Amino acid sequence: MDLLDTLTAKGLRGDVPTREEALAVLATTDDELLDVVAAAGKVRRRWFGRRVKLNYLVNLKSGLCPEDCSYCSQRLGSKAEILKYTWLKPEQAADAARAGVAGGAKRVCLVASGRGPTDRDIDRVTDTMAAIKDADPAVEICVCLGLLSDNQAERLKAAGADAYNHNLNTSENTYGQITKTHTYADRVDTVQKAHGAGLSACSGLIAGMGESDEDLVDVVFALRELGSDSVPVNFLIPFEGTPLAKEWNLTPQRCLRILAMVRFVNPDTEVRIAGGREVHLRSMQPLGLHIANSIFLGDYLTSEGQAGQTDLDMIKDAGFEVEGAGEATLPRHRADVAEAVAASGCGTTAGGCGTAAPSCGSGGGCGPCGGHAEHAAAPATPAEATNDELRDDLVKVRRRGAGTELAPNA
Ligand code: SF4
């Protein structure tokens, strides 16, 4: 297929496809799916080999959020029967992190619900990071606390954080339909604050909220422009008790096409299969590894994933290997860019410091909350009408690990 030959050639050079080519990936048929996966797989192997980076989530503070992100089980007014607890003590969080690292995770993601941190919250997270790094200085720490105020990113960087997560989640056009309590521009601002402070930017999206193909392409190009070093791709987990509980719009085939599009637009960027992997890719998860180079190990913030050992077995069986602590995730030239950005204090890697690109984060969009989103916008162009059957039997609320007496799944 000419399209795939073109995309493969561009991806192997590190070049970005056109918007039309990205849309065409989403429009491919099921008969073409394995060719799409194979083409994206060539690009993935060019930049990341057969390595799979494992990330481990620790939910520091769960539920009771004042924000109204409609995809999120922790949102204001959520009836989802998730765990609700306030800040874990540093030792409790460090215990959970240790379990993830022992299971093979290279990065620990410290997440707290809420619009954004107070300065006291930054102190708490500083103590938690110290407890984790005292035990293992090689652990990468990504923090996700929502919208950042001035100087908070600098404080986190000085305290040892390596990265900050704040997802854009969806296109600028539709953002106002999934969240009313903050804006897309707020999110971009926080990603830029984090990047400008020298933190690696982790910012991604949520698919399956009723968005159009154009929305998906818009947000993925925005993430590219923003200079996100890692792009988590969440597939909406429609929790009962949230506005998007009935939004079952994804099939495994659709998820693979979305992942492939994200890979082609971000050939040399970490692409992570995030929340919803087990729920929506199901038995097709190993094919996702041919496209993405990163996943979460074990459970998510408010929902349970498959057993950590099953993650490890899947990686091995599919012919991939877990990325070691001493191995660089990004290709050398991307690491150079990240270092240059940190040195210059510039918030973006593309288009100069004035370029705005939204970000992620919690102030709505902590990575894989496992939440839903209210009916997103009426799509500009109807997204593929997949109408996956309602599979709420696959959504398992997290009942173990952080905030419970039970051992973490790692
Ligand atoms: S995504 Fe973050 S900010 Fe939004 S409701 Fe959930 S926890 Fe709150």
Side-chain angles (χ1 to χ4, degrees):
M1 181 192 287
D2 287 349
L3 170 70
L4 296 178
D5 290 343
T6 300
L7 290 172
T8 303
K10 286 186 175 183
L12 293 177
R13 293 195 303 267
D15 292 343
V16 178
T18 66
R19 185 185 158 79
E20 291 67 34
E21 288 166 343
L23 282 167
V25 173
L26 297 179
T28 51
T29 66
D30 285 354
D31 286 348
E32 297 163 326
L33 184 63
L34 284 182
D35 294 329
V36 171
V37 173
K42 285 179 188 164
V43 177
R44 178 247 203 265
R45 290 192 301 279
R46 164 72 177 88
W47 301 108
F48 300 96
R50 291 192 161 271
R51 290 175 282 120
V52 177
K53 181 175 184 175
L54 293 178
N55 309 269
Y56 193 70
L57 284 159
V58 179
N59 199 354
L60 299 176
K61 173 172 168 280
S62 181
L64 306 172
C65 183
E67 298 293 292
D68 72 346
C69 309
S70 50
Y71 50 82
C72 181
S73 57
Q74 307 186 78
R75 76 192 292 270
L76 178 71
S78 168
K79 300 283 192 297
E81 295 180 350
I82 59 166
L83 295 172
K84 298 182 182 71
Y85 53 86
T86 190
W87 291 93
L88 296 183
K89 292 185 170 57
E91 317 81 65
Q92 293 173 310
D95 283 348
R98 252 191 302 279
V101 173
K106 178 178 182 180
R107 171 175 287 195
V108 170
C109 306
L110 301 176
V111 187
S113 62
R115 178 178 174 84
T118 63
D119 287 343
R120 170 77 184 105
D121 294 337
I122 299 288
D123 291 340
R124 297 179 209 272
V125 175
T126 295
D127 293 345
T128 296
M129 289 193 290
I132 294 170
K133 293 227 175 188
D134 276 354
D136 186 349
V139 177
E140 283 182 20
I141 297 182
C142 181
V143 181
C144 177
L145 306 175
L147 300 171
L148 291 174
S149 304
D150 288 345
N151 297 320
Q152 289 184 326
E154 286 77 8
R155 288 189 61 200
L156 289 170
K157 172 74 178 169
D162 299 287
Y164 196 83
N165 166 261
H166 200 66
N167 296 321
L168 293 188
N169 290 326
T170 191
S171 71
E172 184 171 16
N173 277 346
T174 54
Y175 198 82
Q177 294 165 19
I178 62 162
T179 303
K180 306 276 189 226
T181 48
H182 60 268
T183 66
Y184 182 85
D186 290 334
R187 284 184 170 270
V188 173
D189 176 68
T190 283
V191 176
Q192 290 178 326
K193 280 189 168 85
H195 216 174
L199 294 164
S200 178
C202 174
S203 187
L205 63 141
I206 305 173
M209 300 193 290
E211 70 282 340
S212 67
D213 285 359
E214 286 82 357
D215 290 322
L216 286 172
V217 168
D218 281 352
V219 68
V220 174
F221 273 88
L223 292 164
R224 174 79 192 181
E225 188 176 354
L226 189 57
S228 185
D229 293 319
S230 59
V231 176
V233 181
N234 292 281
F235 300 111
L236 178 71
I237 302 176
F239 273 89
E240 275 306 320
T242 65
L244 296 192
K246 305 302 177 203
E247 290 286 325
W248 287 89
N249 302 315
L250 298 167
T251 61
Q253 294 77 17
R254 170 79 170 161
C255 294
L256 290 169
R257 277 191 280 274
I258 292 168
L259 285 171
M261 185 272 285
V262 176
R263 169 57 71 204
F264 288 127
V265 177
N266 296 275
D268 53 0
T269 296
E270 176 185 337
V271 174
R272 185 182 313 166
I273 314 176
R277 165 165 57 91
E278 295 89 339
V279 173
H280 292 293
L281 276 169
R282 304 194 284 271
S283 59
M284 294 292 104
Q285 290 181 66
L287 284 182
L289 296 178
H290 285 269
I291 305 172
N293 63 300
S294 179
I295 63 171
F296 284 104
L297 172 72
D299 292 342
Y300 303 93
L301 296 177
T302 61
S303 65
E304 293 184 356
Q306 65 190 13
Q309 187 59 50
T310 304
D311 289 335
L312 299 176
D313 291 344
M314 175 180 74
I315 290 167
K316 186 175 178 192
D317 291 349
F320 293 89
E321 57 197 30
V322 174
E323 185 172 287
E327 296 179 283
T329 299
L330 292 178
R332 177 76 192 147
H333 68 280
R334 285 299 310 271
D336 289 346
V337 171
E339 287 160 12
V341 169
S344 70
C346 175
T348 67
T349 56
C353 293
T355 307
S359 96
C360 69
S362 163
C366 324
C369 292
H372 327 168
E374 216 161 314
H375 251 250
T381 299
E384 180 183 6
T386 50
N387 289 329
D388 196 10
E389 58 186 314
L390 196 139
R391 291 299 309 269
D392 45 7
D393 59 305
L394 297 175
V395 179
K396 288 186 68 181
V397 173
R398 184 172 67 84
R399 298 286 180 225
R400 59 194 173 193
T404 77
E405 299 297 316
L406 301 178
N409 170 28

